[in-house]
Amino acid sequence: MNPYHVADATNMIKLDAMENPFPLPDSLREPYLTALQSAAINRYPDPGLSDIKPLLKQVLNIPEQHGVLFGNGSDEIIQIIITALAEPGRVIMAPEPSFVMYKMIAQTLGLQFVGVPLNKDYSLDEAAMLQAIDQHQPAAIFLAYPNNPTGNLFDTMVLDKIIRACPGLVVIDEAYQIFSRESYVERIKDYNNLVVMRTVSKAGLAGLRFGFLVGSASWLLELDKVRLPYNINCLTQASILFLLQHYAVLEQQADRIRNSREDVLTRMRLLSGIDVFDSVANFLLFRCNTISADEVFNALFDRRILIKKLHGAHPLLNQCLRVTVGTEVENRTYMSSLEEILS
Ligand SMILES: *Cc1c(COP(=O)(O)O)cnc(C)c1O
């Protein structure tokens, strides 16, 4: 294995990790600091996040009857789920290419990971998924909705068949829900093996490390057994409690990013030498045709713009790069550099 690599972005325009480029507005900084002042750092944090739970359900439209489990980022929730299911010989499944932590964590915990290739257009290969489920009887399937790094939503009819066919747990990972505005939360009640995972990372709070899982009380009770106590520290709790009360600010920033994404997409599609895929998230995946992805990546890097190189990660990502939507100024700098490189 290799440790998860984080590129050094000192003095770079950072468009590699799907972060929201906008800081909190100045008007919220003082009230935010005031909210943090009362955090009791001498005490262990509230293990049940009792203040946050009802507010989170209300602000994020989580049905009242569902349970919520909190994680130190959704990465930790993936780890909690796989730890709870871990038994020698068990299989964790996901389409590929997708979010790499499903595979990394499954392998770290000694489970077998089965990746099922997507179709060429990055839609789910229904027959291959159903065949793989039948053959491997997965303990869990992870489906990023929309998918990272491809940016698309999967077909709900195919998802429905997968959830019904899977003997184990199906985790719908909605890390980009604030951009896609599509959710499976309302459908949790329709199945006995479906949970939905969210995070505030891509919405503008990546530094806080806060994710949550929504599901039936019976599933969450089991998963909670392997969660480390006090996994959400008191400064994160105080921050989340404050920021949920100002969540509209993050939603407005997400709208601005969605608009910028369409602008960048339109401009990128005018360039010859690349094919850009549609996206409902805050990033765009594109394939280089005339010069290699490496050359484009390096030429941007030399201009102090950091994006993500995906070539080599999976055969379906041949010559592919991924760019996160930044501020309007960052996007213009990126676009003019890319135009120059491809001209
Ligand atoms: C970024 C990302 C995550 C991880 O989110 P954290 O809450 O920051 O750990 C999970 N799933 C997908 C699909 C992602 O792109």
Side-chain angles (χ1 to χ4, degrees):
M1 293 182 73
N2 294 306
Y4 187 87
H5 175 69
V6 178
D8 180 13
T10 316
N11 298 322
M12 307 270 300
I13 293 182
K14 193 173 185 311
L15 304 177
D16 66 325
M18 280 79 88
E19 291 143 326
N20 173 342
F22 303 115
L24 272 191
D26 285 343
S27 61
L28 286 186
R29 300 203 149 237
E30 280 302 319
Y32 178 34
L33 288 176
T34 306
L36 289 182
Q37 267 170 10
S38 54
I41 59 170
N42 56 318
R43 301 288 180 192
Y44 281 107
D46 175 359
L49 284 74
S50 50
D51 296 342
I52 292 174
K53 224 175 238 183
L55 185 63
L56 181 115
K57 284 186 173 177
Q58 181 201 324
V59 174
L60 300 177
N61 297 318
I62 310 296
E64 189 46 46
Q65 76 267 29
H66 295 327
V68 188
L69 177 135
F70 299 99
N72 197 321
S74 44
D75 285 349
E76 192 194 36
I77 294 175
I78 300 167
Q79 192 179 47
I80 288 172
I81 293 169
I82 299 178
T83 304
L85 298 172
E87 236 181 65
R90 279 194 170 170
V91 167
I92 301 296
M93 186 176 287
E96 278 192 318
S98 188
F99 189 51
V100 293
M101 293 311 292
Y102 312 143
K103 180 179 181 173
M104 278 189 73
I105 293 172
Q107 291 180 337
T108 317
L109 293 170
L111 283 87
Q112 192 194 337
F113 178 83
V114 174
V116 181
L118 292 169
N119 290 317
K120 270 206 169 117
D121 64 356
Y122 301 134
S123 60
L124 285 167
D125 184 336
E126 179 182 335
M129 284 298 292
L130 294 175
Q131 194 279 329
I133 291 168
D134 186 49
Q135 183 184 343
H136 296 285
Q137 299 288 302
I141 302 179
F142 285 85
L143 295 149
Y145 184 79
N147 191 33
N148 170 15
T150 58
N152 57 312
L153 290 163
F154 295 130
D155 186 315
T156 54
M157 303 269 277
V158 179
L159 287 178
D160 181 72
K161 288 185 194 167
I162 290 170
I163 300 165
R164 286 183 198 287
C166 181
L169 188 64
V170 175
V171 184
I172 303 280
D173 179 351
E174 299 183 348
Y176 300 91
Q177 195 274 337
I178 197 166
F179 305 106
S180 73
R181 296 179 186 159
E182 294 287 334
S183 179
Y184 262 71
V185 156
E186 289 297 334
R187 300 187 212 207
I188 291 170
K189 62 178 179 335
D190 302 337
Y191 307 92
N192 60 16
N193 62 337
L194 176 65
V195 290
V196 171
M197 188 166 66
R198 296 256 190 98
T199 172
V200 296
S201 293
K202 313 297 159 54
L205 308 173
L208 291 180
R209 309 305 298 131
F210 184 79
F212 59 96
L213 187 73
V214 186
S216 69
S218 54
W219 267 107
L220 295 201
L221 181 73
E222 299 306 315
L223 298 176
D224 200 40
K225 293 176 183 175
V226 300
R227 182 182 59 83
L228 293 179
Y230 314 122
N231 60 331
I232 311 296
N233 76 70
C234 75
L235 292 176
T236 293
Q237 292 197 27
S239 302
I240 293 294
L241 192 59
F242 175 80
L243 292 159
L244 281 173
Q245 295 168 53
H246 300 277
Y247 203 72
V249 169
L250 300 180
E251 284 174 330
Q252 283 154 17
Q253 291 179 343
D255 280 350
R256 194 166 155 193
I257 292 166
R258 280 161 55 104
N259 288 334
S260 292
R261 179 193 70 215
E262 290 310 294
D263 292 344
V264 175
L265 177 67
T266 307
R267 263 185 90 173
M268 284 179 77
R269 288 216 164 128
L270 295 175
L271 299 179
S272 55
I274 55 169
D275 287 321
V276 193
F277 295 93
D278 284 321
S279 168
V280 297
N282 62 339
F283 59 85
L284 292 162
L285 181 75
F286 62 102
R287 177 170 285 125
C288 306
N289 302 317
T290 45
I291 61 173
S292 72
D294 261 346
E295 280 174 89
V296 174
F297 177 88
N298 291 334
L300 286 168
F301 194 91
D302 291 342
R303 290 166 174 79
R304 305 225 133 288
I305 299 168
L306 181 66
I307 65 168
K308 178 78 177 178
K309 198 189 321 190
L310 289 163
H311 177 75
H314 190 273
L316 287 166
L317 296 172
N318 251 332
Q319 300 303 335
C320 282
L321 297 168
R322 185 191 66 201
V323 62
T324 303
V325 179
T327 65
E328 288 80 355
V329 173
E330 289 174 337
N331 298 336
R332 276 198 292 277
T333 308
Y334 159 75
M335 275 314 309
S336 53
S337 299
L338 188 65
E339 282 162 5
E340 207 177 280
I341 293 161
L342 293 173
S343 68

